[in-house]
Amino acid sequence: MPRTNTQLTSLLAAADWGPAQFAAALRGVAAEQGLTLTVHLTTVRRWLEGVQPRPPLPALILECLSRRLDRRVTAHDAGLTRAPAQLMDPAWEADPMRKLFHLTRTELDPNRRALLGADVLTATALALPAQSQTQAQSTDSARSGRRATESDVGQLDDVASVFATWADRYGGQRMRAPLAAYLTHEVEPLLHRPAPTQVHSGLLSATARLALLLGSMCADSGHHPLAQHYHQIAARLATDADDHTTLAIALRTMATHAHDLGRHTSAVLNLAEQADQHARNAPPAVRAYTTIHLAVVSAHHNPRAAVAALARAERLHARADAEPGPFSSYPAGALHYQRAQTLATLNDHTGGLTALATSLRLRTETERLPAALTHARLAETHLRLGHLEPALTHWHALLDAYPTLHSARADQRLAAAVQHLRAHQRRAGVADLLDRITELTSPPR
């Protein structure tokens, strides 16, 4: 017989929830994740009697209670000793290096990789990191073996450029496992070599940037909770390295990820503001990168502030050097794409259309996935404005690129196209486009 879960009973009492109210709140949190739960009063009563919920329910329970109580609730606190949170602790207090390499090793194990999908996005994780003093190394380290050097830091950044270029060309799905393998087999041993403090800090920063790339690849694969973990790890590593520029990029990435999933809360705005603050001494390209997204998020809260941030980002971008690299440059096409997002939120759809057209014109050959997604947004905006023919042209351009892309975002834009076009099925050219989408997206028989 299972033991009564007294911890969960106490938490529900503190939350002032009865079983039925808790069940309703859980269904709401699940709906935010795109999940449909069959959880009712009797289900919650069984948990209180000691029955253990199955994944992803434990993570949803922890998220729901953390929001209600306005503090982090752990699996131990709730009596959920087999919760997924034991595998992937979302707390900022977790050792980021141990957490990173635990996750990357799990990514490479086919028998355990499925566990990585048993988690949920957590609004309570949208917070700023505290320094953890991550395994600091010193010049007088007694460890044996070759010392890490500045050239090792440069190598990690070179590898990051290769992975970032590949992801921009083809999407993140196919490169996720190779990057996890590189982090596990090459970066983890490197971080444990003796090194001067400055070199070790450089290695932490470079590892943070690789973790950001891996998180973005997970997001592009549709694995959003896992992406959130990698982004958090990157922010922690950058904090431990005292690297405000990489921290600014990490916080901006977190805010972008949340915004793209439809979260426009004050917590997301705070992340965007903090990213902009940490970038204040960064090169102009990084400052433009954080400020333009501050404009995107501010448009949901303060239109005047959004317009001011937009103008500031454009001035910064004009001053930026053309230094290559995924973390040292900011493509003009991306800047105008975010300009379009800002204007669309401010209901300037004509201005947004112009910004998207400029974005597409400025995309480089390397930016195949961003260009395809820009075609999709152009199609959607044209249709919103009643321009069916140019919308069809842009959707066909997306389909031209689609066979070479391995991206959940591209999949989602095609699914959205089908939804948008249902009301126009009898118009010339629409049936042909829908047939082409079906042909390209149907699984082989």
Side-chain angles (χ1 to χ4, degrees), residues 2 4 11 14 60 70 73 80 99 146 185-186 189 197 203 223 251 254 270 293 311 357 387 407 409 413 431 441:
T4 302
L11 287 171
L60 289 168
D70 196 26
V73 176
L80 305 175
K99 183 177 175 181
R146 184 176 75 81
H185 300 305
E186 300 295 333
T197 300
L203 290 172
H223 293 86
L251 296 176
M254 291 170 63
N270 182 55
H293 195 257
H387 311 154
S407 163
R409 287 183 292 168
R413 297 276 48 88
T441 58

mmCIF file of all heavy atoms in Angstrom, residues 2 4 11 14 60 70 73 80 99 146 185-186 189 197 203 223 251 254 270 293 311 357 387 407 409 413 431 441:
data_model
loop_
_atom_site.group_PDB
_atom_site.id
_atom_site.type_symbol
_atom_site.label_atom_id
_atom_site.label_comp_id
_atom_site.label_asym_id
_atom_site.label_seq_id
_atom_site.Cartn_x
_atom_site.Cartn_y
_atom_site.Cartn_z
ATOM 1 N N PRO A 2 0.603 2.222 -0.892
ATOM 2 C CA PRO A 2 1.387 3.462 -0.883
ATOM 3 C C PRO A 2 1.113 4.268 0.369
ATOM 4 O O PRO A 2 0.019 4.215 0.936
ATOM 5 C CB PRO A 2 0.898 4.185 -2.142
ATOM 6 C CG PRO A 2 -0.468 3.631 -2.405
ATOM 7 C CD PRO A 2 -0.427 2.213 -1.938
ATOM 8 N N THR A 4 0.500 7.738 2.476
ATOM 9 C CA THR A 4 -0.129 9.030 2.225
ATOM 10 C C THR A 4 0.931 10.083 1.957
ATOM 11 O O THR A 4 1.946 10.154 2.654
ATOM 12 C CB THR A 4 -0.970 9.447 3.443
ATOM 13 O OG1 THR A 4 -1.954 8.442 3.692
ATOM 14 C CG2 THR A 4 -1.663 10.775 3.188
ATOM 15 N N LEU A 11 1.307 21.160 0.868
ATOM 16 C CA LEU A 11 1.477 22.185 -0.165
ATOM 17 C C LEU A 11 0.129 22.650 -0.708
ATOM 18 O O LEU A 11 -0.077 23.850 -0.953
ATOM 19 C CB LEU A 11 2.338 21.640 -1.304
ATOM 20 C CG LEU A 11 3.830 21.481 -0.993
ATOM 21 C CD1 LEU A 11 4.538 20.723 -2.117
ATOM 22 C CD2 LEU A 11 4.491 22.844 -0.794
ATOM 23 N N ALA A 14 -1.272 25.009 1.798
ATOM 24 C CA ALA A 14 -0.608 26.311 1.733
ATOM 25 C C ALA A 14 -1.063 27.111 0.524
ATOM 26 O O ALA A 14 -1.138 28.342 0.553
ATOM 27 C CB ALA A 14 0.908 26.115 1.699
ATOM 28 N N LEU A 60 4.757 18.991 -14.158
ATOM 29 C CA LEU A 60 3.624 19.925 -14.217
ATOM 30 C C LEU A 60 3.147 20.286 -12.813
ATOM 31 O O LEU A 60 2.809 21.440 -12.530
ATOM 32 C CB LEU A 60 2.485 19.304 -15.018
ATOM 33 C CG LEU A 60 2.711 19.181 -16.524
ATOM 34 C CD1 LEU A 60 1.654 18.284 -17.144
ATOM 35 C CD2 LEU A 60 2.695 20.553 -17.188
ATOM 36 N N ASP A 70 4.616 31.089 -5.327
ATOM 37 C CA ASP A 70 5.619 32.106 -5.647
ATOM 38 C C ASP A 70 6.989 31.752 -5.066
ATOM 39 O O ASP A 70 7.714 32.590 -4.554
ATOM 40 C CB ASP A 70 5.171 33.484 -5.158
ATOM 41 C CG ASP A 70 5.973 34.616 -5.813
ATOM 42 O OD1 ASP A 70 6.470 34.398 -6.932
ATOM 43 O OD2 ASP A 70 6.090 35.687 -5.208
ATOM 44 N N VAL A 73 9.265 24.924 -5.819
ATOM 45 C CA VAL A 73 8.875 23.696 -5.135
ATOM 46 C C VAL A 73 9.607 22.537 -5.804
ATOM 47 O O VAL A 73 9.536 22.354 -7.022
ATOM 48 C CB VAL A 73 7.346 23.471 -5.207
ATOM 49 C CG1 VAL A 73 6.974 22.133 -4.581
ATOM 50 C CG2 VAL A 73 6.611 24.612 -4.520
ATOM 51 N N LEU A 80 7.402 13.743 -4.477
ATOM 52 C CA LEU A 80 7.442 13.105 -5.794
ATOM 53 C C LEU A 80 8.864 12.639 -6.060
ATOM 54 O O LEU A 80 9.599 13.226 -6.841
ATOM 55 C CB LEU A 80 6.978 14.094 -6.876
ATOM 56 C CG LEU A 80 5.604 14.719 -6.652
ATOM 57 C CD1 LEU A 80 5.312 15.750 -7.719
ATOM 58 C CD2 LEU A 80 4.521 13.637 -6.654
ATOM 59 N N LYS A 99 25.451 19.508 -14.508
ATOM 60 C CA LYS A 99 24.145 19.401 -15.166
ATOM 61 C C LYS A 99 24.308 19.313 -16.680
ATOM 62 O O LYS A 99 23.663 18.479 -17.348
ATOM 63 C CB LYS A 99 23.291 20.609 -14.784
ATOM 64 C CG LYS A 99 21.874 20.589 -15.344
ATOM 65 C CD LYS A 99 21.118 21.799 -14.817
ATOM 66 C CE LYS A 99 19.737 21.886 -15.432
ATOM 67 N NZ LYS A 99 18.993 23.063 -14.953
ATOM 68 N N ARG A 146 48.195 17.670 -19.839
ATOM 69 C CA ARG A 146 48.467 18.913 -20.542
ATOM 70 C C ARG A 146 47.606 20.040 -20.004
ATOM 71 O O ARG A 146 46.433 19.868 -19.717
ATOM 72 C CB ARG A 146 48.189 18.719 -22.039
ATOM 73 C CG ARG A 146 48.528 19.945 -22.875
ATOM 74 C CD ARG A 146 48.337 19.678 -24.351
ATOM 75 N NE ARG A 146 46.945 19.644 -24.740
ATOM 76 C CZ ARG A 146 46.207 20.744 -24.970
ATOM 77 N NH1 ARG A 146 46.731 21.951 -24.788
ATOM 78 N NH2 ARG A 146 44.950 20.643 -25.342
ATOM 79 N N HIS A 185 32.643 14.502 -25.145
ATOM 80 C CA HIS A 185 33.928 13.825 -25.344
ATOM 81 C C HIS A 185 35.117 14.769 -25.448
ATOM 82 O O HIS A 185 36.261 14.349 -25.198
ATOM 83 C CB HIS A 185 33.860 12.944 -26.596
ATOM 84 C CG HIS A 185 32.802 11.887 -26.525
ATOM 85 N ND1 HIS A 185 32.730 10.986 -25.495
ATOM 86 C CD2 HIS A 185 31.745 11.603 -27.352
ATOM 87 C CE1 HIS A 185 31.698 10.172 -25.686
ATOM 88 N NE2 HIS A 185 31.084 10.530 -26.791
ATOM 89 N N GLU A 186 34.889 16.017 -25.821
ATOM 90 C CA GLU A 186 35.998 16.941 -26.005
ATOM 91 C C GLU A 186 36.018 18.061 -24.960
ATOM 92 O O GLU A 186 37.059 18.377 -24.388
ATOM 93 C CB GLU A 186 35.941 17.566 -27.411
ATOM 94 C CG GLU A 186 36.031 16.559 -28.546
ATOM 95 C CD GLU A 186 37.367 15.848 -28.605
ATOM 96 O OE1 GLU A 186 38.364 16.433 -28.147
ATOM 97 O OE2 GLU A 186 37.405 14.708 -29.108
ATOM 98 N N PRO A 189 36.446 16.901 -20.780
ATOM 99 C CA PRO A 189 37.836 16.679 -20.317
ATOM 100 C C PRO A 189 38.661 17.958 -20.321
ATOM 101 O O PRO A 189 39.510 18.156 -19.444
ATOM 102 C CB PRO A 189 38.369 15.660 -21.331
ATOM 103 C CG PRO A 189 37.171 15.008 -21.925
ATOM 104 C CD PRO A 189 36.105 16.065 -21.948
ATOM 105 N N THR A 197 43.673 30.955 -14.330
ATOM 106 C CA THR A 197 42.296 31.400 -14.085
ATOM 107 C C THR A 197 41.682 32.050 -15.315
ATOM 108 O O THR A 197 40.521 31.786 -15.663
ATOM 109 C CB THR A 197 42.274 32.393 -12.907
ATOM 110 O OG1 THR A 197 42.780 31.741 -11.749
ATOM 111 C CG2 THR A 197 40.862 32.887 -12.646
ATOM 112 N N LEU A 203 37.381 29.255 -21.122
ATOM 113 C CA LEU A 203 36.773 27.969 -21.459
ATOM 114 C C LEU A 203 35.314 27.918 -21.001
ATOM 115 O O LEU A 203 34.453 27.371 -21.711
ATOM 116 C CB LEU A 203 37.569 26.828 -20.828
ATOM 117 C CG LEU A 203 38.958 26.572 -21.414
ATOM 118 C CD1 LEU A 203 39.702 25.540 -20.560
ATOM 119 C CD2 LEU A 203 38.856 26.100 -22.859
ATOM 120 N N HIS A 223 11.938 20.536 -28.817
ATOM 121 C CA HIS A 223 12.162 20.091 -27.443
ATOM 122 C C HIS A 223 12.413 21.328 -26.562
ATOM 123 O O HIS A 223 13.549 21.619 -26.164
ATOM 124 C CB HIS A 223 13.339 19.119 -27.376
ATOM 125 C CG HIS A 223 13.073 17.813 -28.057
ATOM 126 N ND1 HIS A 223 13.276 17.625 -29.403
ATOM 127 C CD2 HIS A 223 12.578 16.640 -27.583
ATOM 128 C CE1 HIS A 223 12.945 16.385 -29.728
ATOM 129 N NE2 HIS A 223 12.510 15.771 -28.645
ATOM 130 N N LEU A 251 20.782 35.581 -21.777
ATOM 131 C CA LEU A 251 19.501 36.089 -21.280
ATOM 132 C C LEU A 251 18.602 36.505 -22.436
ATOM 133 O O LEU A 251 17.380 36.286 -22.404
ATOM 134 C CB LEU A 251 19.733 37.273 -20.335
ATOM 135 C CG LEU A 251 20.491 36.956 -19.047
ATOM 136 C CD1 LEU A 251 20.736 38.236 -18.255
ATOM 137 C CD2 LEU A 251 19.741 35.939 -18.200
ATOM 138 N N MET A 254 17.134 33.363 -23.905
ATOM 139 C CA MET A 254 16.035 32.868 -23.065
ATOM 140 C C MET A 254 14.764 33.669 -23.298
ATOM 141 O O MET A 254 13.662 33.109 -23.414
ATOM 142 C CB MET A 254 16.445 32.933 -21.596
ATOM 143 C CG MET A 254 17.535 31.952 -21.204
ATOM 144 S SD MET A 254 18.172 32.274 -19.541
ATOM 145 C CE MET A 254 16.706 31.972 -18.560
ATOM 146 N N ASN A 270 11.489 41.357 -18.171
ATOM 147 C CA ASN A 270 12.620 41.561 -17.258
ATOM 148 C C ASN A 270 13.883 40.905 -17.790
ATOM 149 O O ASN A 270 14.981 41.479 -17.699
ATOM 150 C CB ASN A 270 12.281 40.998 -15.878
ATOM 151 C CG ASN A 270 13.396 41.229 -14.873
ATOM 152 O OD1 ASN A 270 13.832 42.349 -14.656
ATOM 153 N ND2 ASN A 270 13.869 40.157 -14.253
ATOM 154 N N HIS A 293 15.658 43.018 -29.457
ATOM 155 C CA HIS A 293 14.670 42.118 -28.851
ATOM 156 C C HIS A 293 13.954 42.776 -27.685
ATOM 157 O O HIS A 293 12.799 42.449 -27.398
ATOM 158 C CB HIS A 293 15.296 40.799 -28.397
ATOM 159 C CG HIS A 293 14.264 39.764 -28.116
ATOM 160 N ND1 HIS A 293 13.868 39.420 -26.848
ATOM 161 C CD2 HIS A 293 13.480 39.047 -28.958
ATOM 162 C CE1 HIS A 293 12.906 38.524 -26.913
ATOM 163 N NE2 HIS A 293 12.649 38.284 -28.181
ATOM 164 N N ALA A 311 14.629 52.211 -32.504
ATOM 165 C CA ALA A 311 15.520 53.231 -33.088
ATOM 166 C C ALA A 311 16.937 53.094 -32.552
ATOM 167 O O ALA A 311 17.926 53.227 -33.298
ATOM 168 C CB ALA A 311 14.957 54.617 -32.794
ATOM 169 N N ALA A 357 10.335 42.177 -46.071
ATOM 170 C CA ALA A 357 10.897 42.162 -47.420
ATOM 171 C C ALA A 357 12.369 42.567 -47.385
ATOM 172 O O ALA A 357 13.215 41.980 -48.086
ATOM 173 C CB ALA A 357 10.109 43.099 -48.326
ATOM 174 N N HIS A 387 -3.551 39.965 -49.658
ATOM 175 C CA HIS A 387 -2.743 39.782 -50.870
ATOM 176 C C HIS A 387 -2.500 38.288 -51.084
ATOM 177 O O HIS A 387 -1.451 37.759 -50.694
ATOM 178 C CB HIS A 387 -1.408 40.510 -50.761
ATOM 179 C CG HIS A 387 -1.517 41.931 -50.307
ATOM 180 N ND1 HIS A 387 -0.483 42.585 -49.654
ATOM 181 C CD2 HIS A 387 -2.531 42.831 -50.412
ATOM 182 C CE1 HIS A 387 -0.864 43.824 -49.385
ATOM 183 N NE2 HIS A 387 -2.101 43.995 -49.821
ATOM 184 N N SER A 407 13.866 20.996 -39.353
ATOM 185 C CA SER A 407 13.532 22.032 -38.385
ATOM 186 C C SER A 407 12.061 21.953 -38.012
ATOM 187 O O SER A 407 11.187 21.984 -38.885
ATOM 188 C CB SER A 407 13.835 23.417 -38.989
ATOM 189 O OG SER A 407 13.189 24.441 -38.277
ATOM 190 N N ARG A 409 10.540 24.295 -36.567
ATOM 191 C CA ARG A 409 9.966 25.611 -36.878
ATOM 192 C C ARG A 409 9.452 25.652 -38.312
ATOM 193 O O ARG A 409 8.374 26.207 -38.579
ATOM 194 C CB ARG A 409 11.001 26.709 -36.643
ATOM 195 C CG ARG A 409 11.288 26.984 -35.179
ATOM 196 C CD ARG A 409 12.265 28.134 -35.032
ATOM 197 N NE ARG A 409 13.586 27.782 -35.527
ATOM 198 C CZ ARG A 409 14.562 28.656 -35.741
ATOM 199 N NH1 ARG A 409 14.341 29.955 -35.538
ATOM 200 N NH2 ARG A 409 15.746 28.265 -36.168
ATOM 201 N N ARG A 413 5.509 26.187 -39.537
ATOM 202 C CA ARG A 413 5.062 27.213 -40.477
ATOM 203 C C ARG A 413 4.245 26.599 -41.615
ATOM 204 O O ARG A 413 3.308 27.216 -42.118
ATOM 205 C CB ARG A 413 6.258 27.995 -41.031
ATOM 206 C CG ARG A 413 7.013 28.745 -39.950
ATOM 207 C CD ARG A 413 6.453 30.106 -39.569
ATOM 208 N NE ARG A 413 5.073 30.253 -39.300
ATOM 209 C CZ ARG A 413 4.494 30.073 -38.107
ATOM 210 N NH1 ARG A 413 5.197 29.660 -37.070
ATOM 211 N NH2 ARG A 413 3.214 30.281 -37.944
ATOM 212 N N ALA A 431 -5.329 25.219 -54.082
ATOM 213 C CA ALA A 431 -5.370 23.758 -54.049
ATOM 214 C C ALA A 431 -4.024 23.165 -54.448
ATOM 215 O O ALA A 431 -3.565 22.183 -53.855
ATOM 216 C CB ALA A 431 -6.475 23.247 -54.968
ATOM 217 N N THR A 441 5.074 16.701 -46.934
ATOM 218 C CA THR A 441 5.036 16.424 -45.489
ATOM 219 C C THR A 441 4.476 15.052 -45.146
ATOM 220 O O THR A 441 4.587 14.624 -44.000
ATOM 221 C CB THR A 441 4.221 17.504 -44.760
ATOM 222 O OG1 THR A 441 2.889 17.553 -45.302
ATOM 223 C CG2 THR A 441 4.870 18.868 -44.919
#
